[in-house]
Amino acid sequence: MDIISSLSDLRAARLSFEGTVGLVPTMGYLHEGHLSLVSRARAENEHVIVTIFVNPTQFGANEDLSKYPRDLDRDLSLLRPLGVDVVWTPSAEMMYPPGYQTWVEVEALTHPLEGSMRPGHFKGVTTIVAKLFNATQPHKAYFGQKDAQQVAVIRRMVVDLNFPLEVIVCPTQREADGLAMSSRNKYLNEAERKAATVLFRALRAAKELYEAGERDAEILRIKMKEVLEMEPLAKMQYVSCADYDSLEELDVLKGRALLSMAVFLGKTRLIDNFVLG
Ligand code: PAF
């Protein structure tokens, strides 16, 4: 496994690859969710590149970039057994050189849900992901369903900018009690960690209604709110029952729908979602 930080070394490594390349972009502090993406990339490609870069432009002014968890040695030791060819760890100065002023922005899809709560977030995500695609030239790029809106936005960008690659979406990995794996779970204290299962419980309660035949989106949103309100440590930011592709809020569920939510446990903001239909 080559650990590369410069762009020229990455390009040289990429040029030496014959056959398909799978890319797993990450911000590090890897967990089972990331590792499942890497394993899938390994199974489906001749070569695998993992990028580790805590992208400053996708953090808002009130989101603490400097406190984002980082542990490169631990990340590398988790990746070594998985047969990764290259780990690329570019610097912020390389990705955003002085005077930087070029951005990639997806429009309507970035306005609701996470986009409405985190202005500028997706502009940072699409810009860095486009730059990672340019640098690594993958045939397939792997993302987790946990960040459902991110996946929708990146898919749109890939179509709109004619990137010659396939976006592969992998299932959310969960702890035994249902909590979706996330690097941010590390911030939770013991009581918050216990309470954090409320996201999964709320989604599951709405899904049960759906499976019993309920198709009124507002009833599903109300059910999720009710479950969240029963947990004193949880502070709901939004719940949504939206069309899977357009992310517009639904009145009645017909095709595929996305149940999603953002919830604060103390200072930690968690998101989760289920796909219905
Ligand atoms: O999902 C993430 O970890 C990040 O948003 C990504 C895709 C690596 C871009 O920084």
Side-chain angles (χ1 to χ4, degrees), residues 75-125:
D75 289 345
L76 296 177
S77 62
L78 288 170
L79 291 173
R80 258 185 206 104
L82 300 184
V84 171
D85 295 74
V86 166
V87 179
W88 188 39
T89 59
S91 66
E93 294 69 33
M94 185 200 304
M95 296 316 265
Y96 298 105
Y100 192 86
Q101 46 183 302
T102 305
W103 300 97
V104 176
E105 207 164 354
V106 172
E107 295 187 339
L109 267 182
T110 63
H111 296 159
L113 308 176
E114 290 300 285
S116 68
M117 300 294 156
R118 305 181 68 189
H121 168 69
F122 286 116
K123 182 177 166 186
V125 170

Side-chain angles (χ1 to χ4, degrees), residues 24-28 34 51 53-55 58-59 68 121 124-126 128-129 132 142-144 147 150 154 183:
V24 183
T26 82
M27 297 208 298
H34 298 110
T51 62
F53 178 64
V54 182
N55 175 33
Q58 68 187 77
F59 287 78
Y68 194 82
H121 168 69
V125 170
T126 42
I128 196 64
V129 171
L132 296 173
Y142 295 80
F143 297 90
D147 295 303
Q150 170 169 282
I154 290 171
S183 307

Side-chain angles (χ1 to χ4, degrees), residues 54-68:
V54 182
N55 175 33
T57 64
Q58 68 187 77
F59 287 78
N62 56 349
E63 299 172 355
D64 203 344
L65 165 67
S66 64
K67 286 214 180 106
Y68 194 82

